[in-house]
């Protein structure tokens, strides 16, 4: 779980600074603030911005007083990539944050944009650490904390088996834990983990993603409907789709001829996954990856409240990803 680095423990603090490169933890830091804001005001307006959407003057517009005194959360992703003029705007805002507005800055934590990072800390921002997990022991600790957070018991052997089976991606690990908790009663042990990933794959969000990125639309849709009928949360399926497409993008951009062991280390994937993704990526093009990521992003917004029919949003994404898997014409 993301850990706080200072004593400020209020998600509704005027400014939250999420620092690190672990996407899952960064997203959770944002979700915590948004949930707290909407608990205080169900009509909270959330603006989620990337550097290209935040021009000089935009922040002042977003944080100007409202006639309706509405609560607002303004999320700025990749704050280290903001332009110099926009950084000046943000620094000025830090000195006099507006009431009923929570600013969330997501910063990679490196040397780039360090002036903004230092300014936010000096201004007393609530800070959440979101470091990249690089060690097996850290991933094991993460899995244990996920089970604990969901109020379930899992044996040490089960936690280790899950890490060994799923790999180093925290989103995949979190999805796997959620899947097991949803489908299995009582203490989760190593045998259950083994059976689940060999005998229950048809109900897994990862199966939906695998069939989609392989261009097997009919099978992917069948797996999707089965997963939904067995209670798999739609957000887990969009997460699995995103992970599968990103894995193809990562491997496609890796140096040709690199050894599986080196790729596994550099890309943060277990060797068995390198082999699987290499087979899945044969029909993909760079444009196909970009198209698929956009489709998954649209579906993710749809299942998180941006649309009226989450299941339809997922079906559209699965079809789009399956088509993108044939974008090179190799299937």
């Amino acid at each position: 779980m993301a850990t706080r680095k200072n004593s400020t423990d209020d998600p509704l603090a005027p400014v939250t600074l999420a620092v690190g490169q672990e996407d899952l933890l960064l997203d959770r830091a944002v979700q915590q603030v948004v949930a707290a804001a909407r608990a205080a005001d169900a009509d909270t307006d959330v603006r989620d911005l990337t550097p290209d959407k935040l021009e000089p003057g935009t922040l002042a517009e977003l944080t100007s007083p409202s006639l309706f005194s509405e609560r607002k959360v303004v999320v700025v992703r990749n704050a280290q990539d903001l332009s110099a003029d926009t950084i000046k705007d943000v620094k000025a805002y830090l000195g006099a944050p507006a009431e009923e507005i929570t600013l969330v800055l997501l910063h990679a934590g490196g040397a780039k944009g360090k002036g903004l990072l230092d300014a936010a800390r000096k201004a007393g921002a609530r800070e959440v650490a979101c470091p990249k997990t690089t060690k097996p022991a850290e991933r094991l600790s993460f899995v244990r904390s996920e089970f604990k957070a969901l109020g379930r018991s899992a044996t040490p052997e089960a936690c280790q088996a899950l890490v060994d089976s799923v790999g180093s991606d925290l989103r995949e690990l979190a999805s796997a834990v959620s899947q097991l908790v949803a489908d299995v009663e009582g203490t989760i042990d190593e045998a259950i983990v083994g059976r689940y990933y060999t005998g229950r794959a048809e109900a897994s969000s990862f199966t939906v993603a695998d069939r989609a990125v392989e261009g097997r639309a009919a099978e992917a849709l069948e797996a999707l409907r089965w997963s939904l009928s067995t209670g798999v949360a739609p957000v887990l399926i969009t997460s699995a789709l995103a992970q599968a497409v990103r894995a193809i993008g990562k491997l496609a951009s890796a140096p040709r001829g690199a050894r599986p062991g080196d790729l596994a280390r550099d890309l943060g994937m277990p060797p068995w996954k390198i082999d699987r993704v290499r087979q899945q990526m044969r029909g993909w093009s760079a444009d196909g990856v970009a198209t698929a990521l956009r489709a998954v992003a649209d579906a993710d917004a749809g299942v998180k409240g941006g649309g009226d029919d989450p299941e339809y949003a997922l079906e559209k994404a699965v079809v789009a990803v399956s088509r993108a898997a044939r974008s090179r014409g190799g299937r």
Side-chain angles (χ1 to χ4, degrees):
M1 297 177 64
T3 56
R4 299 179 181 86
K5 292 181 64 178
N6 63 16
S7 59
T8 303
D9 197 32
D10 182 7
L12 294 182
V15 180
T16 285
L17 179 64
V19 184
Q21 299 180 39
E22 185 54 67
D23 289 341
L24 174 64
L25 301 184
L26 291 167
D27 285 345
R28 286 185 174 181
V30 173
Q31 291 163 9
Q32 184 186 33
V33 172
V34 171
R38 287 184 168 157
D41 180 355
D43 295 325
T44 294
D45 180 21
V46 179
R47 303 297 180 92
D48 199 325
L49 306 169
T50 51
D52 60 309
K53 302 294 184 183
L54 196 62
E55 300 176 350
T58 302
L59 183 62
E61 293 178 11
L62 292 174
T63 57
S64 60
S66 168
L67 292 175
F68 304 101
S69 299
E70 65 179 358
R71 182 177 291 278
K72 186 180 293 183
V73 175
V74 178
V75 180
V76 179
R77 297 183 182 272
N78 300 315
Q80 71 279 357
D81 295 330
L82 292 173
S83 68
D85 288 338
T86 302
I87 287 177
K88 290 180 182 178
D89 288 351
V90 177
K91 287 182 176 179
Y93 178 81
L94 292 173
E99 293 185 9
E100 301 298 312
I101 293 178
T102 300
L103 176 65
V104 184
L105 298 174
L106 275 56
H107 194 292
K112 187 176 182 181
K114 190 174 183 298
L116 177 58
L117 190 64
D118 292 341
R121 286 170 171 161
K122 186 177 180 180
R126 166 181 176 263
E127 186 168 345
V128 182
C130 305
K132 199 77 174 175
T133 55
T134 58
K135 299 178 181 178
E138 294 172 343
R139 292 190 283 273
L140 185 59
S141 177
F142 174 79
V143 167
R144 290 170 177 161
S145 69
E146 289 292 289
F147 278 117
K148 184 177 180 181
L150 293 173
R152 294 295 298 276
S153 296
T155 65
E157 293 79 13
C159 294
Q160 185 64 61
L162 199 59
V163 171
D164 292 341
S165 299
V166 175
S168 60
D169 190 293
L170 290 199
R171 288 191 187 275
E172 291 190 10
L173 287 169
S175 295
V177 170
S178 297
Q179 189 79 67
L180 286 168
V181 167
D183 290 357
V184 179
E185 297 182 356
T187 299
I188 296 168
D189 60 21
E190 184 178 10
I192 289 172
V193 173
R195 287 200 306 271
Y196 189 84
Y197 282 96
T198 55
R200 295 287 298 282
E202 69 275 11
S204 168
S205 55
F206 301 123
T207 300
V208 179
D210 284 342
R211 298 296 85 79
V213 298
E214 291 163 5
R216 296 153 66 178
E219 294 176 45
L221 288 170
E222 181 180 359
L224 170 64
R225 291 168 188 138
W226 178 255
S227 295
L228 293 173
S229 71
T230 56
V232 177
V235 68
L236 298 182
I237 298 174
T238 57
S239 176
L241 284 168
Q243 292 159 22
V245 176
R246 282 198 298 264
I248 286 171
K250 286 181 180 179
L251 191 56
S253 61
R256 292 184 177 274
R259 294 178 298 179
D262 293 335
L263 287 172
R265 183 187 63 251
D266 294 341
L267 301 181
M269 300 180 193
W272 62 265
K273 188 170 182 178
I274 295 291
D275 294 336
R276 187 178 71 186
V277 175
R278 183 173 278 144
Q279 293 175 350
Q280 292 173 334
M281 64 183 282
R282 290 173 182 166
W284 285 84
S285 67
D287 288 342
V289 171
T291 298
L293 286 174
R294 286 195 296 270
V296 174
D298 289 343
D300 189 56
V303 303
K304 291 179 178 177
D308 297 327
D309 190 341
E311 292 189 14
Y312 177 63
L314 283 170
E315 288 181 359
K316 284 182 61 180
V318 165
V319 171
V321 171
S322 299
R323 287 175 177 169
R326 299 187 294 272
S327 56
R328 188 175 286 172
R331 292 173 187 263

